[in-house]
Amino acid sequence: NVLLLLKQRFIENRSVETIFPLLCCLRDSQVIVPVNVTMSKEDEEMFLHAKKGDTVTTSGNIRMKPDILQNGDAFFFPMFSNAEQMPEDYAAKFSNINMSVLQCIKMAKTYDKVIGLVLDAFTDPVVLEYQLADIIPRLESRLKPEE
């Protein structure tokens, strides 16, 4: 809710005073990333037949590829502040994983054509090209270390 509030403040008044709190919040946020999961048929069967509480050991590699979004000639790594920010028909096509924004930035940079990230692409989007996104890891965490 804090992330959504800060995002909305930024959208309503795009300024240094509103972007900095948003970037600080993103620094410590967990977001949802839509991914396509690829695995062997054998591993897929093991997951499909697993019961709650079962431990599943895969025999092959499992790959999770994010749904890279395109806007004209620009490509963006999608991240969503919560599930409600994804249209149902879009969300139904993907598996979702929770990741830190810092992990999203690292993963986004592994895709050659991607020029940044987009938060909540289908509702009130905020585009974070790398010039802006690269500030986030340099910000001090506001979370207290666990003891």
Side-chain angles (χ1 to χ4, degrees):
N1 289 341
V2 173
L3 179 56
L4 284 172
L5 173 70
L6 293 172
K7 180 186 80 162
Q8 198 57 45
R9 285 186 181 162
F10 172 69
I11 288 170
E12 291 169 2
N13 176 22
R14 292 177 183 264
S15 67
V16 173
E17 290 80 21
T18 58
I19 192 65
F20 189 71
L22 176 59
L23 295 177
C24 288
C25 184
L26 285 168
R27 163 64 177 83
D28 294 325
S29 290
Q30 292 283 316
V31 291
I32 299 170
V33 177
V35 296
N36 284 310
V37 178
T38 307
M39 68 180 82
S40 70
K41 289 289 182 200
E42 296 81 20
D43 288 341
E44 188 176 338
E45 286 297 317
M46 286 177 30
F47 276 104
L48 291 173
H49 292 98
K51 295 175 185 65
K52 186 175 182 176
D54 285 355
T55 300
V56 176
T57 304
T58 60
S59 58
N61 291 330
I62 296 178
R63 299 193 187 280
M64 292 182 276
K65 184 178 185 303
D67 180 43
I68 302 300
L69 300 176
Q70 184 175 1
N71 184 7
D73 292 336
F75 293 87
F76 297 94
F77 186 96
M79 52 187 192
F80 295 88
S81 53
N82 62 43
E84 291 77 35
Q85 301 303 309
M86 282 189 273
E88 286 183 28
D89 59 328
Y90 174 80
K93 298 175 188 175
F94 301 98
S95 297
N96 294 327
I97 58 171
N98 292 325
M99 297 175 64
S100 73
V101 171
L102 298 179
Q103 290 171 314
C104 291
I105 294 168
K106 284 181 187 175
M107 185 181 274
K109 289 186 173 192
T110 66
Y111 294 91
D112 291 336
K113 293 183 179 183
V114 171
I115 64 167
L117 300 93
V118 60
L119 177 65
D120 299 335
F122 302 112
T123 53
D124 293 320
V126 172
V127 172
L128 301 167
E129 292 189 17
Y130 288 139
Q131 182 178 355
L132 191 55
D134 286 343
I135 294 170
I136 296 170
R138 297 193 309 244
L139 297 171
E140 188 174 335
S141 174
R142 298 187 189 271
L143 297 177
K144 294 189 192 300
E146 293 182 22
E147 294 179 12

